[in-house]
């Protein structure tokens, strides 16, 4: 007797595939709302916490420095919640989490880098070199990073990984001393 191909599948692979498909459907449903609020839809992920689904949505500003203020985040959260209730894509009870990328975000796209101009970042090159410095500018696919030893130029294609560093000093208090 031949085994069904369904039996040979790993359950976690099927769940991941279903969560990826649900994440994509949710993204399509909410993207017009997010862009209508002058924000950028960074990611949508669906997972589980016990018996509940957890829908994690990350929004950001489309470009330039700065961050999403709490009023904008609250407003888009309410609109997303209402939209998800209307389209009823998530079966059963779920928890909705709408947030921003965070202060120490991983930088992977040109938009991430342009949003981080003025911030302290660390870069590891594909050749193994690593630098920490302040991102001065992004011009096309080239980054200009000011470090202790001068200004470094990096092509985006030469970067293996990059991350923003959280700075705990109060720049106003530092400049008043």
């Amino acid at each position: 007797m031949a085994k069904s191909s369904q039996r040979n599948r790993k359950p976690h692979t099927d769940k991941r595939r279903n969560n990826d498909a649900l994440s994509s459907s949710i993204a399509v449903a909410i993207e017009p709302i997010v862009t209508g609020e002058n924000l950028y839809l960074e990611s949508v992920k669906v997972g589980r916490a016990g018996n509940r689904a957890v829908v994690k949505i990350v929004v950001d500003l489309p470009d330039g420095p700065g961050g999403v203020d709490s009023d904008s985040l609250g407003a888009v959260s309410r609109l997303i919640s209402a939209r998800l209730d209307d389209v009823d894509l998530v079966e059963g009870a779920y928890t909705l989490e709408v947030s921003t990328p965070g202060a120490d975000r991983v930088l992977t796209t040109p938009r991430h880098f342009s949003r981080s101009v003025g911030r302290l970042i660390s870069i590891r090159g594909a050749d193994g070199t690593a630098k920490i410095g302040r991102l001065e500018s992004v011009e096309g696919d080239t980054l200009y990073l000011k470090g202790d030893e001068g200004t470094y130029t990096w092509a985006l294609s030469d970067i293996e990984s990059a991350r923003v560093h959280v700075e705990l000093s109060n720049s106003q208090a530092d400049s008043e001393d």
Side-chain angles (χ1 to χ4, degrees), residues 40-154:
Y40 179 84
L41 182 59
E42 187 76 36
S43 67
V44 176
K45 293 182 182 171
V46 178
R48 299 219 55 87
N51 293 334
R52 287 182 169 253
V54 178
V55 178
K56 295 182 180 184
I57 298 170
V58 178
V59 298
D60 197 7
L61 293 177
D63 54 30
V68 178
D69 63 71
S70 59
D71 290 340
S72 296
L73 190 60
V76 78
S77 296
R78 286 186 292 280
L79 292 170
I80 288 170
S81 179
R83 178 68 177 149
L84 291 179
D85 289 346
D86 288 346
V87 295
D88 200 26
L89 293 170
V90 184
E91 292 182 26
Y94 67 93
T95 300
L96 175 63
E97 297 176 6
V98 181
S99 64
T100 59
D104 63 345
R105 77 181 304 166
V106 174
L107 306 173
T108 58
T109 68
R111 190 184 70 75
H112 293 163
F113 286 99
S114 69
R115 292 268 302 114
S116 298
V117 169
R119 307 276 312 268
L120 188 65
I121 67 171
S122 62
I123 295 178
R124 178 172 309 284
D127 63 359
T129 59
K131 297 289 182 192
I132 295 176
R134 191 148 319 270
L135 183 58
E136 290 187 319
S137 65
V138 180
E139 297 175 15
D141 67 346
T142 304
L143 305 178
Y144 296 91
L145 184 73
K146 183 172 177 95
D148 292 338
E149 300 168 5
T151 300
Y152 307 100
T153 303
W154 290 77

